[in-house]
C-alpha cells in the first residue's frame, strides 16, 4: 500500500522513559504533520515539516517533545521522560504540498504507566 | 481553547434517512473547512471540504454547507448507509497548514 505508515502501532512504557514514534509518509509528499488525540478530545496539532525543516513547532506541549525528519521522508517524534498525561494516540499525516489535503496514518497508541 | 466545536458527541440515524452532523467555529480567519471520517484503529480519512468562498459543496451522498455569518457548517449524508457508521471530525484551517479539529461525532446508522 502507498499510504502513511506508523510504527509501532501500540507502545506501553513506564513513566520517565523515553519513546520514539516513527512515521513513513506517502512517497513524494513534501509536508508532514504530527497530531495527537487524547481520550475524549479532538486531534491536537503538534508540529509541521516542510521538507526536513519544521517551520511550525508551536503545538509541541513541552520541551520533552521533539521531532525530526530526514531525507524529506521519515519522521521521528521523540518524547523524553514520559508522563502519564502523554498517553494518547499520536497520528502522522502527509500532504503533497503544505496546504494540500492531509492523509493520515493509523496512529500509534501510547500508554504511559 | 477549542476553536472548532462539535456539540453532539453521538448521533443515531436509520438506514436510508438523512444524517446531519453539525460543527461550529470561533475563528473568523478560518478559510477552509474539511470533514474527516474515522473508523476504530484507523487514521482519519478525508471525506469532503469547502472553501470559505462557497456555501455548499456536494460529492455523491455527501454535502457540506457553510454559513459564514453564523460560523457554522454541517455535513449531510443522504441516504445514510450502515457503512457510514464512524466518527466524523470537522476541521478548519487558516490560509496555512495546521488543521484545527473538533472532538468528533460518533454516527451510528441502524438497519
Amino acid at each position: 500500500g502507498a499510504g502513511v505508515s506508523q510504527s509501532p502501532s501500540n507502545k506501553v512504557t513506564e513513566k520517565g522513559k523515553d519513546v520514539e514514534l516513527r512515521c513513513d509518509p506517502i512517497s513524494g509528499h513534501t509536508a508532514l504533520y504530527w497530531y495527537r488525540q487524547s481520550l475524549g478530545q479532538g486531534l491536537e496539532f503538534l508540529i509541521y515539516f516542510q521538507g526536513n525543516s519544521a517551520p511550525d513547532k508551536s503545538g509541541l506541549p513541552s520541551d520533552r517533545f521533539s521531532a525530526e525528519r530526514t531525507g524529506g521522508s521519515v519522521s521521528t517524534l521523540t518524547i523524553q521522560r514520559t508522563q502519564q498525561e502523554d498517553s494518547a494516540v499520536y497520528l502522522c499525516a502527509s500532504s503533497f504540498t503544505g496546504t494540500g489535503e492531509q492523509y493520515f496514518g493509523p496512529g500509534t497508541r501510547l500508554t504511559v504507566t | 481553547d477549542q476553536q472548532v466545536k462539535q456539540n453532539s458527541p453521538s448521533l443515531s440515524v436509520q438506514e436510508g434517512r438523512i444524517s446531519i452532523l453539525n460543527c461550529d467555529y470561533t475563528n473568523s480567519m478560518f478559510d477552509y473547512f474539511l470533514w474527516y471520517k474515522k473508523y476504530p484503529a484507523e487514521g482519519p480519512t478525508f471525506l469532503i471540504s469547502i472553501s470559505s468562498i462557497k456555501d455548499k459543496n456536494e460529492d455523491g451522498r455527501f454535502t457540506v454547507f457553510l454559513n459564514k455569518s453564523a460560523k457554522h457548517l454541517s455535513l449531510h449524508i443522504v441516504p445514510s448507509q450502515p457503512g457510514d457508521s464512524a466518527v466524523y471530525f470537522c476541521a478548519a484551517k487558516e490560509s496555512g497548514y495546521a488543521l484545527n479539529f473538533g472532538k468528533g461525532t460518533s454516527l451510528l446508522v441502524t438497519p
Side-chain angles (χ1 to χ4, degrees):
Chain A
V4 178
S5 60
Q6 293 185 245
S7 60
S9 55
N10 278 285
K11 177 72 177 178
V12 180
T13 190
E14 290 181 354
K15 178 181 171 181
K17 301 281 191 183
D18 298 353
V19 294
E20 282 190 357
L21 312 180
R22 177 187 167 108
C23 172
D24 281 273
I26 292 172
S27 177
H29 280 192
T30 62
L32 185 147
Y33 317 78
W34 284 97
Y35 295 85
R36 75 174 176 181
Q37 185 180 16
S38 302
L39 191 64
Q41 302 297 313
L43 281 74
E44 173 193 9
F45 169 75
L46 298 178
I47 188 170
Y48 155 67
F49 286 92
Q50 181 60 47
N52 291 336
S53 63
D56 188 353
K57 304 179 183 180
S58 62
L60 293 178
S62 76
D63 58 8
R64 297 186 295 104
F65 287 72
S66 63
E68 64 175 14
R69 188 179 185 195
T70 55
S73 181
V74 171
S75 176
T76 302
L77 177 70
T78 301
I79 310 173
Q80 296 179 308
R81 305 181 302 282
T82 52
Q83 304 293 312
Q84 287 186 328
E85 61 263 28
D86 300 336
S87 296
V89 176
Y90 289 81
L91 289 150
C92 175
S94 69
S95 65
F96 187 65
T97 67
T99 56
E101 175 188 322
Q102 297 180 22
Y103 294 83
F104 282 82
T108 293
R109 180 175 295 279
L110 175 66
T111 304
V112 182
T113 61
Chain B
D1 181 31
Q2 196 83 17
Q3 297 186 75
V4 178
K5 299 177 184 178
Q6 294 177 257
N7 293 319
S8 297
S10 63
L11 176 67
S12 182
V13 171
Q14 220 170 8
E15 181 178 6
R17 307 293 281 265
I18 184 171
S19 296
I20 300 176
L21 295 95
N22 293 303
C23 178
D24 297 292
Y25 61 96
T26 57
N27 187 344
S28 58
M29 298 301 292
F30 287 147
D31 63 0
Y32 199 67
F33 304 87
L34 308 91
W35 285 94
Y36 280 81
K37 177 179 178 179
K38 186 180 183 303
Y39 292 117
E42 295 183 11
T45 304
F46 170 74
L47 194 57
I48 192 169
S49 63
I50 188 167
S51 163
S52 61
I53 62 173
K54 294 186 174 182
D55 55 19
K56 177 182 173 181
N57 190 26
E58 206 169 340
D59 183 3
R61 297 185 297 113
F62 302 90
T63 303
V64 57
F65 295 92
L66 175 63
N67 182 334
K68 284 184 64 180
S69 61
K71 295 193 180 69
H72 177 84
L73 66 155
S74 61
L75 173 68
H76 292 210
I77 307 172
V78 56
S80 302
Q81 299 173 354
D84 296 330
S85 297
V87 177
Y88 289 78
F89 289 97
C90 172
K93 63 178 181 178
E94 299 180 41
S95 50
Y97 38 81
L99 292 173
N100 295 269
F101 283 86
K103 293 185 181 182
T105 295
S106 179
L107 173 65
L108 176 65
V109 180
T110 57

